[in-house]
Amino acid sequence: MTRVLVSGATGKLGAPICAAIAGADDLTLAGRVARSLAGGEGFASVAEAVAAAQADLLVDVTAPAVAEAHTLAALAAGIPVVLGTTGLGEDGATRVDAAAKTAGVPVLYAPNFAITAVLMMRFAAEAARILDQCAIVEEHNPAKVDRPSGTALRTADLVEAASGTRPEISSLRIEGVVANQSVIFGAAAQTLELRNVTTSREAFVPGVLLAVRRITTLEPGLHVGLEHVLD
Ligand SMILES: NC(=O)c1ccc[n+]([C@@H]2O[C@H](COP(=O)([O-])OP(=O)(O)OC[C@H]3O[C@@H](n4cnc5c(N)ncnc54)[C@H](OP(=O)(O)O)[C@@H]3O)[C@@H](O)[C@H]2O)c1
């Protein structure tokens, strides 16, 4: 049984993750972190949780302002981290990578756990090898804190690495949307549009479980993208 700590446990993404872990035969919910659970059913922070609960790994789906501190607290206790909170940034990524290497455990930062989004990014990288004009349009609900989305930034990195040109990103915030993205390529008299649509946060849960089950196959340090455990 792998004992999983979930921070952001009461959130729109964290709640279905907790339910899926609790319902899985090979996983057990080691603890739940959210400020609203403090002093009762859970812990206010990861630092508190790792001191009190026995956990084999952490899943963090909280908020950009606190995710790095949560990740570093788990790493200080030698616990691998599946990080789904977006907005880590380059400096944060450098610090997390160093801490993970010092701890000798992996961190998997997945800007998007939806399998269709991961495939969209993979196909975009492939198209960018041939088509160098590209633009990204990402759509999320207005509650999303970071802008552009982690998925858009990751897609732009992949397209730039393949084509040498960084695509423009447009960020739309629309009520009712969960997380959608189009990657649009243009050439003379033709366009190619790759579009990923998610209709509920249930879309992310299978990818989270995949990451939880396979993260320990990764080397110590920071790995960006669910593709590291997909194939
Ligand atoms: N990687 C992906 O595929 C993916 C998909 C969807 C969303 N996300 C990201 O996941 C994150 C969460 O999204 P969501 O929609 O679930 O947000 P949400 O509904 O606002 O939930 C946030 C959760 O984090 C907890 N939290 C917030 N600040 C905290 C703090 N300082 N200390 C401890 N717990 C804290 C909240 O509980 P309390 O308020 O009680 O503390 C709540 O449980 C966001 O960064 C979002 O962009 C990633």
Side-chain angles (χ1 to χ4, degrees), residues 7-14 33-37 43-45 60-64 66 70 83-87 110-114 144-146 179 201 204:
S7 58
T10 59
K12 292 183 285 298
L13 181 55
V33 177
R35 290 164 300 183
S36 50
L37 295 174
F43 305 94
S45 71
D60 185 276
V61 283
T62 52
V66 75
H70 280 176
L83 178 59
T85 309
T86 51
N112 202 316
F113 287 113
K144 183 167 181 62
V145 178
D146 50 317
R201 283 169 180 74
F204 305 114

Side-chain angles (χ1 to χ4, degrees), residues 57-119:
L57 61 89
L58 169 72
V59 175
D60 185 276
V61 283
T62 52
V66 75
E68 183 184 336
H70 280 176
T71 301
L72 296 178
L75 292 175
I79 296 174
V81 181
V82 173
L83 178 59
T85 309
T86 51
L88 182 62
E90 272 183 40
D91 291 348
T94 302
R95 288 189 290 269
V96 166
D97 184 47
K101 284 178 175 150
T102 300
V105 297
V107 173
L108 178 59
Y109 169 46
N112 202 316
F113 287 113
I115 308 292
T116 51
V118 176
L119 291 174

Side-chain angles (χ1 to χ4, degrees), residues 46 56 96 120 152 182 193 206 210:
V46 169
D56 300 310
V96 166
M120 172 191 63
S182 295
E193 181 169 347
L210 187 70

Side-chain angles (χ1 to χ4, degrees), residues 8 32 34 73 98 126 137 149 155 172 180 199 206 222:
R32 298 191 303 149
E126 177 66 22
V137 181
S149 70
T155 310
L172 308 180
N180 304 333
T199 55
L222 175 66

Side-chain angles (χ1 to χ4, degrees), residues 38-221:
E41 304 161 63
F43 305 94
S45 71
V46 169
E48 268 180 45
V50 294
Q54 299 287 316
D56 300 310
L57 61 89
L58 169 72
V59 175
D60 185 276
V61 283
T62 52
V66 75
E68 183 184 336
H70 280 176
T71 301
L72 296 178
L75 292 175
I79 296 174
V81 181
V82 173
L83 178 59
T85 309
T86 51
L88 182 62
E90 272 183 40
D91 291 348
T94 302
R95 288 189 290 269
V96 166
D97 184 47
K101 284 178 175 150
T102 300
V105 297
V107 173
L108 178 59
Y109 169 46
N112 202 316
F113 287 113
I115 308 292
T116 51
V118 176
L119 291 174
M120 172 191 63
M121 288 186 262
R122 180 181 289 183
F123 299 152
E126 177 66 22
R129 292 174 55 222
I130 297 160
L131 301 167
D132 62 3
Q133 197 197 342
C134 176
I136 298 170
V137 181
E138 58 101 340
E139 306 155 12
H140 286 81
N141 70 66
K144 183 167 181 62
V145 178
D146 50 317
R147 179 191 187 110
S149 70
T151 304
L153 292 170
R154 174 75 179 147
T155 310
D157 289 345
L158 293 169
V159 167
E160 186 175 9
S163 69
T165 306
R166 191 156 186 89
E168 183 181 342
I169 301 174
S170 300
S171 299
L172 308 180
R173 295 293 173 261
I174 308 164
E175 203 61 60
V177 168
V178 177
N180 304 333
Q181 180 172 292
S182 295
V183 188
I184 306 160
F185 292 90
Q190 56 193 306
T191 62
L192 168 68
E193 181 169 347
L194 302 171
R195 182 161 173 80
N196 161 244
V197 175
T198 51
T199 55
S200 116
R201 283 169 180 74
E202 295 296 329
F204 305 114
V205 174
V208 175
L209 296 186
L210 187 70
V212 162
R213 290 184 171 119
R214 296 197 183 160
I215 186 171
T216 54
T217 63
L218 300 175
E219 296 292 319

